[in-house]
Amino acid sequence: MSWRTIDRRTVPLDDLDPGLSAAVKEKIRSFFPRYPTRRAVLLPALHIAQDALGYISLRAMREIAELLEIPPSAVLDVVAFYTHFWTHPRGRKTIVLCRSLTCELMGGGRVREALEQRLGIGEHETTPDGQWSYMTEECLAACEHAPCLLIDEKLHKAVQVEDLDRILVDAENDRLDLPRSTLFDAPQET
Amino acid sequence: MPKIIIDGQTVECRSGIPVLQAALEAGLAVPHYCYHPGLSVVASCRLCLMEMKMRDPKTGQMDWAPKLFPSCQTPVRDGLEVRFCSDPVRDNQQHVMEYYLLNHPLDCPVCDKAGECYLQDYTEASGPATSRMVEDKTKNPKKDIGPHTLLYQDRCVLCSRCVRFCDEITGSGELAVVGRGSRCEIDVLPGQPLQNPLQGNVVDLCPVGALLDKDFLFKQRVWLLRSARSVSPADSRGQTIWIDYNEAGIHRIRPRYNEKVNEWWITDEARFGWKHVHRRDRLRQPRIRQGTALQPARWEELPALLRTWFSQPSPTVPNPIAAILSPMLTCEEAWLLAKFARSLAPQATLVLGHVPTVGQDQTYPKGFTIKAEKCPNRRGVETILQHLGGPTASFQEFLGQAVEGRFRAAYVTGGYPNAWVMDPIATALAKIPFLVVHDLFPSALDAVAAVQIPGSAWAEREGTFMNCDGLLQPFERALPPLEGVKADGQFFSELLGQPGLFRARTVRETMAAELPQFSEVFIPRDLPKHAH
Amino acid sequence: MPFERVLMRHVGVPNSTSLAVYKADDGYAGAARALKMTPDDLVEFVKKANLRGRGGAGFPAGVKWTFLPKDRTVTYLCVNADESEPPTFCNRVLIDSDPHMLLEGVLIAAYATRTTVAYIYMRGEFCAQFHILQRALDEAYAAGYFGRNILGSGYSLECYIHRGAGAYVCGEETGLIESLEGKRGWPRIKPPFPAIEGLFRKPTVVNNVETLACLPHILTRGVDWWLSIGTANSKGPKMYCISGPVNRPGCYEAPLGLSCRELIYGADFGGGMCDGKKVKAVFPGGLSMGALRGDMFPKPPDGKVDPRQDHDELDCILDFDDVRKYDLLGLGTAAAVVIPEDADLRDTLLNVTRFYSQESCGQCTQCREGTAWMQKIAERIRAGAGRPVDLDIIVEATRNMGMMPGLSICGLPDGAAWPIRTLIQKFRREFEQRIAAQAPGAAESLIRRTNAAAYELPVLHGRAVQPVGGTYATPVDVAPPP
Ligand SMILES: Cc1cc2nc3c(=O)[nH]c(=O)nc-3n(C[C@H](O)[C@H](O)[C@H](O)COP(=O)(O)O)c2cc1C
Ligand code: SF4
Ligand code: SF4
Ligand code: FES
Ligand code: FES
């Protein structure tokens, strides 16, 4: 047993935490008519908030809770259940590496080691220059292209250790070459 | 009433309840964690599984189905046949118990819950003493999640009762399950701790020692405690409670199940509202004014003195005697005191004492109510006053008359846990030449009282309270009165010249002869162990 | 008659995601036909086709729809596009190439079930697929296939895409429903089943992407065409996935009833193993369905199936029935991953146990604790510190979890138990050899280092657990301290 007790009562100094802009809140509200309850908008709201802030700050959790009229802890509950949401700041781009069976058989483990070494970070960490964050995830449903990884939205197929250099320096490595829908994106601030 | 067959025995049960509840009420010790009759059913601990007879689709015969069913999720219906005494059921219980022990720290020697922990009890009854896991256990830190509560995450069995309580009963939803799978933890959003005024219940709810009461932390081992059936004086709802006490005094208060009032829960006011019993400045000795100071007196001197004063007619005012019956008194005490006053001065004014209120009644989603009226027996005193008839006055009227100097002698009872003698009260009472103050603590009245009598706290008395809905509920004495103090009821019967020991029950019987309302009291049934 | 691909007919066709290309190929003709029928007739029609769910359980879609209460006013349709079962990707391929086929299927199923709002629950990692499907949906709305008064039939339907956020268990239908409602994806206890009380406590149907994509074809080509494809109880075409070290990993459409060997070696399918290696093991239906032995092992002399013998099991027919003869849980998603002869099964065991322990939602004790325990043991075995008894403990643990014996709320632990148990039982010899080849005393020294108490606590000497009902027959092989 640990003798440390974590204080959950004091409000953390999160005044510096980013909150949601009026435009983001408006966008979240635009999802209300889609569902009979407000709570059901939670996942879309979190997607939009994460796109706006890069992660879900404590402040954002409280603001979303207020918008959806649910207790703030319910937002934390959901954020922590799903692996997609980060509760600390991320780099500009996030690499999601598949760690499931096919990818591992096809050399995913080596790619993982090489990647961690190249970036010098472990899972859920961010490079000091703020460029990259990295995490692993179970099967990305692209096993015919194993081993594969996602950089933000773009899937990189059959990635071998040698390919990493090329992929990481490519400016377009996170860009999809198809028309995007902005439905779950944060609104463009003017 | 449906009849079901559990392990070959026919059990008659209430309709609409789950089989688990029926089994528990029938006295069977079925292990379970997540089920609580006051909360929604999630059937997630998988410890209460049973075998059930179903019609075999092939043969058309009723036979034991080849799988297990959660008894907490299966409603009773007539003729249902289930069993818990079978190998598959026991196998499952043992496996689940082993799973619970995989990461449990087994720190019972320093755990407050030891002795009343479901994990201990079930392990003793049906499980292995430890698990076969040889890897290191998952270690989690403690968390300070509320003003009254600590969370020892290591010990949590993730039954989610506490989370459901905050979602369903209080509707405040402070607790969350954070994480997924074996990394699940109970937590609050940092900076948003437990805030609701029923939060103490999560500690009772927790089947293990994960949620602990800071107030009780490391204070006592539960097997050194005795429990008295009591009724909380914290508000007018008459929440039934257990007072857990021993020679050293009260250590904690727990809810006592009461289907008519508070069900499984109590308010934090009721839970933590016993501290005044052990305040250092309690009055401990009767005192009589001699000159300007109150001097210690003997209890034996008091009855004669009081009788003299209360029976002397006044040459100037018609009815110079008043008795102020505090809503903190039990019905029996109020009755005796009223009788005493009227026996000496048949036209004595009887007054219902100060009724403290705070804010508004608060009602929670499932109907649990916290009353604004913070005293247990206003309704009981009112009933008695109404019955006795004759001159009565409200407390405000009485104060008004007192200021005018209408009273020569008054018997004022207090007994409130908090200071109640505000300036207007003190000024008015100062006008009464012979003022008897029967209270727990020193107050502004010390300066004006002719006689000061130390009261005893509710935990040191026995009797009945009538709650705001007219329900009459008796309670037991947990502690003896402080040394040198006479219990209120005992003193009142001595005033009346009744010999022998005060027994609330005997008094109630004589009351009932005049007032049929007092012939029946309500005592909720005690629940079997682990049936909450 | 050669088999004609229908579900994958547009794979590789340029612009196949556009409405124009889809319409040119009889697109939305099935829906038009369906809208002319009454919903009840349509349900009967689909029932006749015996369209069994492609999401894993294989429950006939038409029958599922009849469970909806007759007097309902609100019905929801949830499309399960949460494809997260390793190594499955057929739904992804389908959406990538033919999103309108799914949308047409949604329209047909929604009409049959009198749904007013359909939600497509799509896993969060599907990014390109989301944009493709959303664009197709916008097109379909513009063309009047969704929205008010569809094709003048008087029927109205709203359809929204809901993006998940990375949780396997949200593919379980009630987990999906909870997740859609904005809660953590803890599956619900059943009954009540979703058909009675599902999304927002209203009658709800949950169907897989591929199941729905079959509907337009059944409507345009008829039930007889459908029933002419496949084996006795498994009708229609199926998208089979094959991945791992094969020459042509990918998704291939074939009539239900493809053999596992054909899937790996067929020239139209996997195209054989890379570098001519032999197959050690294959998980033929997604991980959760369990493992088969590969052709590294001898063929059964008489062709008889006996899962207890060390025989090549690749002749297993991948339909809803034959798989059970090989001690598999079911057809699952018909997505195979091949483990080559030179792989170390300790890695496989660790990967599989880790998957389930990461993805268990954490409600049920057996699933939450059991999967995590198995992962810890697998990690130790992988680290070269296994004990023979660990294998027994894992097998015992797999036997006391799962929905089949009623021990858990959802099917995830069944899906965990099957691959892990079959892996250990069918390949026990390899595990035993690897453990025997460890450095002497490795297990004890590692255990002492991580958890000294396992050796120091007196309670663990001798029998740590009570041998009741044979449950704890496995002795604890902890030696007393020297
Ligand atoms: C743990 C678990 C995960 C599942 N994941 C998926 C999934 O990702 N996609 C899917 O279509 N069905 C999944 N299912 C099956 C669904 O529960 C359900 O059977 C299916 O969506 C029904 O659709 P169908 O009748 O069209 O097959 C999963 C089931 C379980 C128990
Ligand atoms: S803290 Fe206690 S009540 Fe809450 S989930 Fe854990 S064991 Fe249950
Ligand atoms: S079986 Fe596992 S995944 Fe399913 S509900 Fe229970 S804990 Fe969650
Ligand atoms: S295993 Fe990596 S994408 Fe499926
Ligand atoms: S599963 Fe029935 S009490 Fe927990």
Side-chain angles (χ1 to χ4, degrees):
Chain A
M1 191 178 66
S2 156
W3 293 104
R4 200 157 64 93
T5 303
I6 299 182
D7 179 7
R8 284 285 194 250
R9 292 169 62 198
T10 320
V11 183
L13 288 174
D14 65 343
D15 286 346
L16 299 177
D17 264 18
L20 303 177
S21 68
V24 169
K25 288 184 184 168
E26 199 42 53
K27 175 131 192 188
I28 292 175
R29 276 193 210 99
S30 73
F31 275 77
F32 288 172
R34 294 178 156 224
Y35 305 92
T37 67
R38 287 224 174 157
R39 187 170 180 150
V41 180
L42 187 47
L43 276 185
L46 291 172
H47 277 290
I48 295 166
Q50 176 148 311
D51 191 48
L53 306 177
Y55 72 110
I56 312 288
S57 63
L58 277 183
R59 188 144 165 211
M61 288 187 209
R62 284 203 297 270
E63 289 176 350
I64 291 175
E66 210 172 291
L67 270 176
L68 308 188
E69 294 167 2
I70 54 177
S73 69
V75 181
L76 173 70
D77 187 314
V78 168
V79 167
F81 186 84
Y82 299 95
T83 50
H84 180 71
F85 301 119
W86 286 55
T87 46
H88 55 274
R90 281 189 305 170
R92 274 183 284 283
K93 294 178 183 176
T94 303
I95 302 181
V96 180
L97 182 68
C98 173
R99 58 167 185 243
S100 281
L101 192 54
T102 308
C103 287
E104 190 187 271
L105 277 173
M106 304 303 285
R110 284 192 303 278
V111 175
R112 176 178 181 166
E113 279 165 24
L115 188 68
E116 287 184 4
Q117 206 173 21
R118 238 199 91 111
L119 300 177
I121 53 174
E123 253 190 273
H124 287 108
E125 291 175 2
T126 302
T127 50
D129 61 359
Q131 180 66 16
W132 295 105
S133 292
Y134 146 77
M135 65 185 271
T136 61
E137 182 54 281
E138 298 297 350
C139 182
L140 300 174
C143 326
E144 79 266 49
H145 305 305
C148 53
L149 54 83
L150 275 172
I151 297 183
D152 289 347
E153 293 205 316
K154 186 176 169 96
L155 183 75
H156 292 263
K157 302 170 179 176
V159 180
Q160 293 302 333
V161 176
E162 311 78 81
D163 304 329
L164 280 179
D165 287 332
R166 180 177 49 77
I167 293 174
L168 291 185
V169 296
D170 179 3
E172 303 273 287
N173 55 14
D174 60 339
R175 214 85 24 97
L176 283 178
D177 46 4
L178 49 85
R180 291 186 75 257
S181 155
T182 54
L183 191 65
F184 288 85
D185 292 356
Q188 292 292 320
E189 309 275 332
T190 41
Chain B
M1 293 252 281
K3 287 196 183 74
I4 63 171
I5 304 168
I6 306 179
D7 290 330
Q9 285 183 348
T10 306
V11 170
E12 207 169 315
C13 48
R14 297 181 284 135
S15 51
I17 58 172
V19 173
L20 175 59
Q21 181 73 21
L24 293 173
E25 286 178 13
L28 267 92
V30 181
H32 63 283
Y33 285 124
C34 65
Y35 173 77
H36 188 289
L39 303 171
S40 61
V41 175
V42 290
S44 65
C45 73
R46 313 310 285 184
L47 195 49
C48 72
L49 306 190
M50 62 177 183
E51 279 193 284
M52 189 158 81
K53 264 199 182 167
M54 286 172 86
R55 199 168 295 285
D56 185 330
K58 291 202 192 88
T59 63
Q61 300 287 308
M62 290 299 279
D63 204 355
W64 297 109
K67 59 182 261 188
L68 301 179
F69 300 87
S71 60
C72 60
Q73 190 203 342
T74 312
V76 295
R77 75 190 122 78
D78 210 30
L80 185 73
E81 192 170 349
V82 304
R83 64 178 179 195
F84 292 96
C85 283
S86 74
D87 283 350
V89 173
R90 296 198 39 161
D91 257 22
N92 175 60
Q93 289 171 356
Q94 298 202 340
H95 277 120
V96 177
M97 289 310 298
E98 181 179 23
Y99 284 140
Y100 278 124
L101 295 181
L102 291 181
N103 287 304
H104 190 89
L106 297 177
D107 55 352
C108 309
V110 294
C111 176
D112 276 347
K113 199 77 174 188
E116 54 182 14
C117 169
Y118 288 32
L119 189 62
Q120 275 187 335
D121 294 349
Y122 298 159
T123 298
E124 193 174 325
S126 61
T130 181
S131 77
R132 287 170 290 172
M133 189 177 84
V134 292
E135 283 76 22
D136 207 7
K137 299 191 181 218
T138 311
K139 294 188 182 70
N140 286 309
K142 292 179 289 192
K143 285 176 249 180
D144 182 359
I145 57 164
H148 300 299
T149 319
L150 272 184
L151 172 61
Y152 283 67
Q153 185 61 50
D154 281 351
R155 300 176 184 151
C156 171
V157 295
L158 276 173
C159 65
S160 82
R161 280 183 183 188
C162 53
V163 179
R164 278 176 283 149
F165 179 83
C166 291
D167 284 349
E168 296 165 13
I169 306 297
T170 68
S172 49
E174 297 100 329
L175 290 175
V177 180
V178 172
R180 188 164 80 202
S182 59
R183 300 164 307 292
C184 277
E185 287 182 27
I186 305 296
D187 211 338
V188 293
L189 191 74
Q192 310 253 317
L194 283 169
Q195 275 152 340
N196 65 72
L198 302 175
Q199 56 181 281
N201 290 302
V202 296
V203 174
D204 307 320
L205 270 178
C206 184
V208 294
L211 287 166
L212 292 181
D213 190 340
K214 289 182 190 167
D215 198 52
F216 186 62
L217 195 68
F218 303 142
K219 291 278 160 50
Q220 284 288 323
R221 311 284 7 197
V222 298
W223 53 87
L224 301 178
L225 297 175
R226 271 165 292 155
S227 305
R229 286 179 191 77
S230 189
V231 175
S232 169
D235 70 13
S236 61
R237 202 149 165 253
Q239 307 171 59
T240 45
I241 53 175
W242 291 105
I243 301 183
D244 287 352
Y245 67 98
N246 60 17
E247 308 70 40
I250 301 181
H251 293 286
R252 64 172 178 183
I253 292 210
R254 285 178 300 133
R256 177 160 64 101
Y257 175 73
N258 184 341
E259 69 264 36
K260 290 201 180 171
V261 182
N262 50 317
E263 298 193 297
W264 303 269
W265 332 115
I266 52 173
T267 60
D268 287 353
E269 279 167 352
R271 182 180 305 269
F272 303 112
W274 53 269
K275 297 296 169 67
H276 67 281
V277 175
H278 296 309
R279 257 169 66 179
R280 287 284 177 77
D281 59 346
R282 288 261 312 262
L283 300 177
R284 289 163 186 271
Q285 199 175 26
R287 293 192 295 174
I288 299 176
R289 184 165 305 278
Q290 279 170 0
T292 53
L294 285 168
Q295 297 295 340
R298 286 178 303 119
W299 284 92
E300 295 79 60
E301 301 170 30
L302 298 178
L305 183 71
L306 263 59
R307 269 188 220 119
T308 322
W309 270 92
F310 280 87
S311 52
Q312 270 176 19
S314 156
T316 48
V317 258
N319 297 313
I321 309 294
I324 286 71
L325 309 177
S326 158
M328 303 302 290
L329 292 179
T330 65
C331 296
E332 293 81 0
E333 290 158 355
W335 173 269
L336 291 178
L337 183 57
K339 283 281 180 189
F340 167 69
R342 284 283 168 82
S343 69
L344 298 179
Q347 289 304 309
T349 308
L350 299 182
V351 179
L352 167 65
H354 168 62
V355 176
T357 55
V358 176
Q360 300 281 312
D361 287 3
Q362 277 171 286
T363 301
Y364 288 88
K366 281 242 176 112
F368 193 95
T369 307
I370 303 181
K371 287 283 169 192
E373 194 176 301
K374 302 297 178 199
C375 57
N377 202 27
R378 182 211 14 108
R379 180 116 180 213
V381 173
E382 275 176 1
T383 311
I384 291 167
L385 293 189
Q386 212 164 30
H387 166 74
L388 291 179
T392 57
S394 75
F395 193 57
Q396 283 311 323
E397 289 164 358
F398 162 73
L399 290 181
Q401 294 167 3
V403 172
E404 291 162 11
R406 268 217 38 209
F407 296 106
R408 199 165 48 83
Y411 194 118
V412 176
T413 49
Y416 303 95
N418 301 314
W420 64 283
V421 185
M422 304 307 152
D423 281 348
I425 300 181
T427 335
L429 294 185
K431 294 276 165 52
I432 301 174
F434 187 74
L435 183 67
V436 180
V437 177
H438 194 157
D439 203 354
L440 291 174
F441 302 105
S443 68
L445 298 183
D446 296 0
V448 292
V451 177
Q452 187 190 51
I453 305 175
S456 39
W458 108 102
E460 299 155 351
R461 298 167 5 215
E462 58 171 26
T464 50
F465 288 145
M466 186 183 277
N467 82 351
C468 55
D469 303 318
L471 190 69
L472 200 62
Q473 302 189 110
F475 61 92
E476 300 171 347
R477 190 185 91 164
L479 305 176
L482 292 184
E483 198 173 326
V485 175
K486 266 194 175 134
D488 301 12
Q490 181 69 36
F491 180 62
F492 295 152
S493 37
E494 283 170 20
L495 281 182
L496 273 170
Q498 292 172 355
L501 221 53
F502 165 79
R503 277 271 158 257
R505 193 196 175 90
T506 327
V507 176
R508 199 158 61 238
E509 275 159 9
T510 53
M511 289 165 74
E514 288 182 42
L515 246 174
Q517 270 131 303
F518 286 93
S519 57
E520 248 181 75
V521 293
F522 174 68
I523 306 176
R525 70 202 145 89
D526 288 346
L527 294 180
K529 199 179 181 197
H530 296 167
H532 319 286
Chain C
M1 191 177 65
F3 172 68
E4 181 199 346
R5 297 194 308 170
V6 292
L7 297 171
M8 291 178 61
R9 61 184 174 178
H10 286 149
V11 172
V13 173
N15 252 338
S16 65
T17 59
S18 69
L19 182 59
V21 172
Y22 185 68
K23 276 199 74 168
D25 233 348
D26 248 2
Y28 288 101
R33 187 162 307 171
L35 289 174
K36 295 212 178 73
M37 301 166 132
T38 68
D40 289 345
D41 288 348
L42 185 53
V43 172
E44 279 308 307
F45 183 82
V46 174
K47 241 166 98 176
K48 253 189 268 152
N50 189 17
L51 165 58
R52 297 180 64 169
R54 304 311 202 218
F59 196 81
V63 178
K64 195 192 277 188
W65 300 346
T66 57
F67 294 155
L68 293 165
K70 290 272 165 301
D71 54 352
R72 65 192 187 274
T73 48
V74 180
T75 315
Y76 292 110
L77 172 68
C78 295
V79 183
N80 194 335
D82 190 60
E83 186 164 63
S84 333
E85 171 86 31
T88 311
F89 44 91
C90 43
N91 293 355
R92 193 201 89 236
V93 168
L94 199 145
I95 296 171
D96 264 341
S97 62
D98 230 339
H100 282 288
M101 198 192 301
L102 168 60
L103 294 179
E104 185 178 355
V106 172
L107 175 54
I108 296 169
Y111 179 70
T113 52
R114 308 209 306 262
T115 292
T116 46
V117 186
Y119 296 100
I120 302 178
Y121 187 98
M122 192 176 223
R123 64 175 299 188
E125 292 79 6
F126 276 178
C127 299
Q129 291 70 35
F130 162 70
H131 297 300
I132 292 171
L133 191 63
Q134 182 63 47
R135 194 177 160 79
L137 185 59
D138 293 342
E139 263 187 313
Y141 258 103
Y145 295 116
F146 288 91
R148 305 216 64 82
N149 190 12
I150 297 165
L151 303 182
S153 64
Y155 175 66
S156 303
L157 172 69
E158 298 296 331
C159 179
Y160 303 115
I161 300 178
H162 189 92
R163 297 188 76 182
Y168 170 62
V169 75
C170 292
E172 203 276 344
E173 47 188 2
T174 53
L176 183 150
I177 287 172
E178 286 278 301
S179 175
L180 238 169
E181 289 184 6
K183 305 180 185 151
R184 74 182 99 94
W186 276 14
R188 289 184 187 161
I189 46 175
K190 288 141 264 188
F193 288 93
I196 309 295
E197 205 182 295
L199 187 62
F200 306 117
R201 301 280 155 195
K202 293 286 189 296
T204 303
V205 172
V206 183
N207 272 127
N208 173 257
V209 167
E210 194 183 336
T211 315
L212 296 177
C214 291
L215 290 171
H217 305 291
I218 301 179
L219 273 149
T220 46
R221 292 158 192 254
V223 170
D224 292 337
W225 162 81
W226 178 265
L227 292 177
S228 72
I229 302 171
T231 58
N233 262 321
S234 316
K235 296 298 184 190
K238 173 84 190 83
M239 293 168 75
Y240 286 94
C241 300
I242 172 96
S243 62
V246 291
N247 289 319
R248 301 178 63 223
C251 183
Y252 303 99
E253 184 176 348
L256 267 170
L258 193 67
S259 84
C260 192
R261 197 180 306 281
E262 180 74 6
L263 182 59
I264 300 171
Y265 287 101
D268 295 338
F269 303 100
M273 295 288 289
C274 297
D275 310 326
K277 280 182 197 161
K278 286 212 179 300
V279 180
K280 182 184 279 183
V282 46
F283 292 92
L287 277 194
S288 301
M289 298 298 123
L292 294 176
R293 295 185 191 86
D295 51 14
M296 222 181 107
F297 300 92
K299 261 200 148 255
D302 47 0
K304 283 232 179 71
V305 179
D306 184 354
R308 282 162 305 174
Q309 297 292 318
D310 262 358
H311 287 156
D312 175 352
E313 293 173 324
L314 294 186
D315 288 322
C316 174
I317 302 291
L318 300 181
D319 68 7
F320 290 108
D321 302 312
D322 199 50
V323 285
R324 292 185 205 272
K325 290 191 212 144
Y326 293 86
D327 196 13
L328 298 178
L329 185 52
L331 176 62
T333 54
V337 52
V338 184
I339 315 277
E341 56 184 335
D342 53 354
D344 184 341
L345 284 185
R346 293 179 300 179
D347 288 328
T348 312
L349 180 69
L350 175 55
N351 195 297
V352 173
T353 50
R354 198 222 36 243
F355 175 78
Y356 292 102
S357 116
Q358 291 293 314
E359 297 299 334
S360 162
C361 82
Q363 267 191 103
C364 313
T365 313
Q366 284 94 331
C367 176
R368 175 183 69 235
E369 304 293 341
T371 53
W373 188 14
M374 290 195 283
Q375 183 192 348
K376 283 186 178 177
I377 297 177
E379 269 166 10
R380 188 161 44 77
I381 295 179
R382 176 60 258 186
R387 306 168 301 169
V389 69
D390 290 330
L391 302 177
D392 297 325
I393 291 179
I394 293 185
V395 170
E396 188 187 319
T398 59
R399 288 199 187 282
N400 58 52
M401 50 169 58
M403 199 162 75
M404 311 289 271
L407 304 183
S408 59
I409 291 177
C410 87
L412 186 139
D414 291 310
W418 247 265
I420 296 170
R421 182 173 58 73
T422 50
L423 201 58
I424 290 197
Q425 285 182 334
K426 293 187 177 180
F427 303 91
R428 185 160 182 131
R429 195 135 16 100
E430 170 171 346
F431 285 106
E432 280 172 353
Q433 282 165 358
R434 298 224 187 242
I435 289 174
Q438 288 166 183
E444 184 178 332
S445 72
L446 184 95
I447 294 170
R448 273 187 190 284
R449 243 181 302 134
T450 51
N451 180 13
Y455 285 90
E456 308 314 342
L457 270 182
V459 70
L460 271 166
H461 304 313
R463 295 205 86 86
V465 289
Q466 305 153 359
V468 178
T471 315
Y472 291 102
T474 320
V476 180
D477 80 336
V478 174

